[in-house]
Structures are given as structure tokens and as C-alpha cells.
Amino acid sequence: MESNYINDDQLDLLLNELASLYGYDFTGYARSSMKRRVNRLIIVDKFTNFEALLETIKNDSTYFRRFVEEITVNVTEMYRDPSTFKMIREKVLPAIATQPFIRIWHAGCSTGEEVYSMAIMLHEANLLHKSLIYATDLSSLAIENIKQGIFPLSQIAKDTENYLASGGKNNFSEYYTVKKDTAIFNQNLKTKIITATHNLVSDSSFNEFQLIFCRNVLIYFNKSLQDRVLTLFDESLETLGFLILGTKENIRFTKVAAKFSQPDNTQKIWRKIL
Amino acid sequence: MAQNIVGDCDWPVVVIGGSAGSLSVVTGILSALPMPLAAKIIVVLHRKNTSDIILLALLSKKTALPVIEVEDKEELQPGHIYLTPPDYHLLIETCNSFSLDSSDRVHYSRPSIDVTFISVAEMFRNKVIGILLSGSNGDGAKGLAYIKRNGGTTLVQNPETAEFPFMPQQAINLNCVDMIINGNEIGNKLVEILGKLSISPES
């Protein structure tokens, strides 16, 4: 049964403990969603109440790691929202194709489905050889998964459908080999992917990019953290670089709004103009 | 009983949940709403991930009030009707803004009616009017009970008038329903409830 195990004071207490004990600052996360996830974890991990969860987090660093994974790891799929990837294929890649060297950052990329989606599109546009894709996430488990490039076979039907809807012309099965119930993606894709853990709350920019993906990550942040992260992206993008967000995310009401233009208002793709 | 509106957080919040067979009831409710409207309206519908534009256009035709499909951190304003976007849970972040969440489905649903009902109840307590309509899924009943527990008013579509009676019946079985109303009378009933709150928009 889903109900309110924790109140606002308890959430504040928990967030303060996480910051002081482990150095993880979740205070800029959207409270509504954070509460929901903490409640879910209390139920799933069968804690009797909030205090029991708090005690375990304080005394058991192994459990703390599980807590972070459960609080942050998100739903993703290959070519999620295929029309966005279609526009990247048709409009964005041609615009950056003339660059001598292409750098792309997938920030908060979770288990990496969109990273591999992008690598495949670059390969098909004959751009992969001069590209580097930086894939970062808070979760070290997610990062490990990206390095391996192994995804559940059960997802492949949906992934293939999305690939085709995004304008993919090849046989999607050329990009992986099947082993038991997994799909292992090709080595040539992996050589162009650089992985690292990165915390959008506290870490800074580490390069300059033509393209930054950050999809369905900002929804978990409050407005002031959104401003911080979008400023970080602004500083990390070349002029005329592209920023790609989730389908229900928007920079309208944020600090960076005036610095970007949106070429097609049905797609969450912005271009840095200032 | 007269109530004074002192701020954004004091407006009544009407939250409507529906699944299979609920669309015509929702459009009926929207067409009954007066303008200006002294309430915030939130609509959560189970929907296939087909075009959201069509549903938005359909609902917009039924009322002169602005109908908005919510984007992340969208403002929650009185006199507006907010539609949950497909494939996201809709949460209340502050008393005048939303937040979206794309975590696991609840009752095989994203958006889930329970998730939004619970979030609305936590923020707005006794200012909530929860309405649960036709559907063949168990989603929404626990959320409606939660609204009731937090002092809100609860209403379901009379299962006998529902194309799919399961969903409102689940709520009735939880003993959390203040009013059971025929589908085509819910709009007028809602207007009557809002009228009794004697709230007029601040000038």
C-alpha cells in the first residue's frame, strides 16, 4: 500500500544526514518525487518505519549505496521518443558534421541506452570515427553497464521498433550479438564511448561539447538546481551547440532561456545562440 | 461557510481520475464549469502513448477555460485545467507548481491516478475534491481513500452509469466515498460543491 510514511521534517532530516555522513547533497532534488521514492524504498526493503530506514542508512554504508542507486536510477530505453532521434538524425547531425572533431555529453545517462543509440546514429552518418561520446551518471552501477554494453534481450523488440521509427535504415541486429538473454553491443561502438561518474549537483564542466543530452533528469531537480545544471550545460556548450532535454522538460522559465533558441517547438532540442 | 482566499495555496483543488470509458464523463464535467472558475483542476487519464495533441484539443473544445498539458515545474494556477502528460507521473511540488516523475508504473499505469491523488492530498489536504470515474483498473481507489483521510471531499461515478464499473466500485468498497453520482450529473454536482465553498476569485 502506498501512503505517506515520511513527512517534510523527516525528509529534511534524511537529506541532512546523507550530506553530512556521505557527502551526497540531494537537497536540490524535487521534494515530491524524492518523498515518493523514499516511501517506495521503505516498502520494498520492508522497513517498519522511517526511523528504521534512517538508522540503517547511518550505520550501513553498503545499504547507503543501494539507497543511492534506488533513489536515482531511472527508466530509459533506446531511441526513447523516436521523433526526437529522427530530428537529431536529420537536422542536428548534418549541422555538426563539418566539425573536425565531435564531442557529445550524455549527462545523467542512466544505464546508457541513449548513449548506444547515439553511437549507432553517428556510425550510420559516417561520423563515429571522429566523435567522442562522454557518458556520465551519478550511479557507478549504471556506468559499469555502459562500459559493458550489455542490455536485456527482452528490451530489443521495443528498441528495434524505436530505431526504425527514428529513421534507422539498417538491420538493427547488426549492432549486437545475442548471448543467452542479453544483447551485447559491438566493440566498435564502445571504443568511442568514455564513461565516468559525475554528480550534476556538485561537479563542474570538464570539456566543451557540440551536443549535450540530458533527458528526464531535470524533472527530478527543483528549480534552483535546474538553473545550476542548465548554467553548467551552457558553459559546456560551444556557440551553436545543441541541448536535448526530455519531452516534458522546458527551459522557458529558467535562467538560460534567453541564450537558446528552439528550432522546432514540437521537439525539446535547443540551440545555443549567445 | 465563507472562506477567504489569502494566497495561491488556499484555492480548492479538484482532481479527476479516469480510465476506460471516462472520456465522455470528463468532457461533460469540463463543459459544466463556469468562468471564471475559483478552483484549480487536475485531470489524470490513463491513455495510450498515442497523440496527446488530439486529447488536448478535444478537452479544450469543451470549455473556455485554459486547458494545459503539464510540463515539468509548470505553474499551478486557479481557473486552469491541467492534463497529465502521457508516460509520466504527475506530482505536486509546491502549492503552485507541478513536478513530473518517470519512475516505475503503478497499477501498470504511468500516469497513475493513485500517485497524483496522494500527492495532491498531501499538499492540499481538506481543500481537495477527488473524483474517480469509469475504468477497469484498480488504480485510484487507494488515492481517493487517502484524499478522504486527509480531510478532502470524495466523489465517484455511479458504477451503474459507468461503462467500466470496476474502478469506482473499488473506491466504494474501501468505504471512502462521500458521494456516488451518475456520470452525466457530476459536472453540475461539482459546480454546486464549489459554490457552497463560497469562494470568489480575488480581484
Side-chain angles (χ1 to χ4, degrees):
Chain A
M1 151 119 200
E2 180 153 11
S3 69
N4 69 329
Y5 278 87
I6 75 164
N7 59 39
D8 284 293
D9 292 344
Q10 290 170 325
L11 182 62
D12 288 333
L13 183 62
L14 174 65
L15 298 183
N16 288 336
E17 291 289 351
L18 293 171
S20 66
L21 278 173
Y22 296 104
Y24 275 81
D25 181 5
F26 290 108
T27 56
Y29 278 57
R31 292 183 72 87
S32 51
S33 181
M34 197 70 184
K35 258 178 152 174
R36 192 173 121 62
R37 280 149 180 263
V38 174
N39 283 338
R40 184 185 152 274
L41 209 53
I42 288 174
I43 296 164
V44 170
D45 287 348
K46 300 188 168 62
F47 289 103
T48 47
N49 54 29
F50 168 74
E51 284 73 19
L53 169 73
L54 186 64
E55 279 310 304
T56 305
I57 287 175
K58 281 161 82 170
N59 299 315
D60 181 350
S61 61
T62 309
Y63 185 78
F64 164 74
R65 283 195 290 278
R66 168 172 168 79
F67 176 84
V68 172
E69 298 295 338
E70 289 295 312
I71 290 291
T72 57
V73 171
N74 294 312
V75 180
T76 180
E77 59 191 49
M78 293 206 178
Y79 301 94
R80 185 176 186 183
D81 313 310
S83 68
T84 299
F85 281 88
K86 196 171 198 325
M87 183 162 165
I88 295 168
R89 200 187 279 280
E90 291 170 358
K91 300 278 170 31
V92 175
L93 290 186
I96 59 175
T98 53
Q99 301 272 350
F101 194 65
I102 297 170
R103 285 180 306 274
I104 296 170
W105 180 17
H106 289 259
C109 62
S110 189
T111 41
E113 279 79 343
E114 292 192 346
V115 177
Y116 280 86
S117 305
M118 195 61 202
I120 289 167
M121 286 209 306
L122 288 164
H123 165 78
E124 292 181 355
N126 201 22
L127 296 173
L128 188 62
H129 64 281
K130 60 170 182 175
S131 301
L132 270 184
I133 305 174
Y134 295 76
T136 68
D137 197 86
L138 182 61
S139 158
S140 46
L141 282 182
I143 290 303
E144 196 47 43
N145 193 76
I146 301 166
K147 279 186 195 159
Q148 303 290 329
I150 300 174
F151 298 96
L153 198 57
S154 57
Q155 305 292 334
I156 287 290
K158 174 71 174 161
D159 291 341
T160 305
E161 188 185 309
N162 284 356
Y163 165 78
L164 295 171
S166 78
K169 299 273 191 296
N170 291 357
N171 190 342
F172 193 58
S173 62
E174 286 169 18
Y175 295 114
Y176 59 85
T177 42
V178 174
K179 193 172 178 188
K180 291 185 182 165
D181 52 357
T182 62
I184 303 169
F185 278 74
N186 296 351
Q187 189 59 34
N188 74 314
L189 302 172
K190 291 175 204 169
T191 57
K192 295 299 182 177
I193 298 170
I194 296 172
T195 56
T197 57
H198 182 276
N199 188 343
L200 288 168
V201 174
S202 50
D203 292 342
S204 53
S205 174
F206 54 92
N207 213 326
E208 205 165 57
F209 303 93
Q210 285 94 19
L211 183 53
I212 297 178
F213 281 79
C214 186
R215 306 189 70 218
N216 295 305
V217 175
L218 294 177
I219 55 175
Y220 298 109
F221 297 166
N222 68 21
K223 290 194 79 159
S224 67
L225 182 54
Q226 288 187 349
D227 276 339
R228 180 198 130 80
V229 172
L230 286 166
T231 302
L232 175 67
F233 292 160
D234 178 39
E235 290 164 0
S236 310
L237 266 180
E238 286 182 2
T239 304
L240 299 181
F242 293 89
L243 174 65
I244 301 176
L245 303 180
T247 50
K248 299 299 166 190
E249 293 170 323
N250 208 312
I251 66 168
R252 278 184 297 178
F253 300 122
T254 68
K255 266 166 71 176
V256 303
K259 295 184 161 188
F260 287 83
S261 74
Q262 192 178 12
D264 172 348
N265 65 10
T266 67
Q267 294 296 336
K268 295 309 169 66
I269 299 178
W270 283 269
R271 199 159 195 194
K272 180 173 169 176
I273 50 172
L274 287 174
Chain B
M1 207 193 322
Q3 238 177 301
N4 289 322
I5 301 282
V6 292
D8 275 354
C9 304
D10 299 323
W11 296 87
V13 176
V14 180
V15 60
I16 303 169
S19 188
S22 68
L23 190 55
S24 63
V25 187
V26 172
T27 58
I29 296 171
L30 297 195
S31 15
L33 295 173
M35 213 180 141
L37 177 74
K40 304 173 178 183
I41 312 267
I42 300 166
V43 180
V44 190
L45 293 178
H46 290 167
R47 44 207 286 206
K48 300 286 170 217
N49 293 347
T50 47
S51 172
D52 21 327
I53 297 160
I54 293 170
L55 180 59
L56 191 64
L58 181 71
L59 297 182
S60 298
K61 263 192 228 157
K62 302 293 173 181
T63 171
L65 295 164
V67 183
I68 294 166
E69 188 180 79
V70 178
E71 288 198 324
D72 182 50
K73 306 299 177 297
E74 185 96 41
E75 265 188 80
L76 170 55
Q77 303 176 65
H80 288 60
I81 296 159
Y82 296 94
L83 179 64
T84 306
D87 215 23
Y88 289 86
H89 295 305
L90 181 70
L91 299 167
I92 307 298
E93 179 63 14
T94 66
C95 69
N96 51 22
S97 72
F98 291 101
S99 194
L100 298 177
D101 178 314
S102 73
S103 59
D104 297 347
R105 292 163 191 276
V106 176
H107 292 286
Y108 313 102
S109 306
R110 190 173 55 227
S112 148
I113 300 168
D114 273 345
V115 167
T116 301
F117 276 14
I118 289 168
S119 186
V120 168
E122 293 219 322
M123 183 64 71
F124 299 107
R125 309 281 170 184
N126 63 351
K127 298 178 195 77
V128 179
I129 300 160
I131 302 177
L132 191 61
L133 307 175
S134 171
S136 53
N137 178 306
D139 195 18
K142 282 175 189 165
L144 201 71
Y146 198 73
I147 290 173
K148 179 68 185 166
R149 274 216 301 286
N150 282 279
T153 305
T154 56
L155 189 162
V156 297
Q157 179 177 4
N158 183 349
E160 286 170 23
T161 71
E163 203 176 318
F164 294 89
F166 186 81
M167 207 150 103
Q169 189 59 51
Q170 287 297 105
I172 293 169
N173 294 350
L174 290 181
N175 243 330
C176 66
V177 176
D178 294 319
M179 284 168 262
I180 300 170
I181 310 288
N182 292 340
N184 59 2
E185 293 162 11
I186 295 175
N188 289 335
K189 190 66 185 178
L190 175 61
V191 174
E192 185 191 316
I193 296 169
L194 290 172
K196 277 185 192 158
L197 296 171
S198 297
I199 288 169
S200 58
E202 230 178 357
S203 54

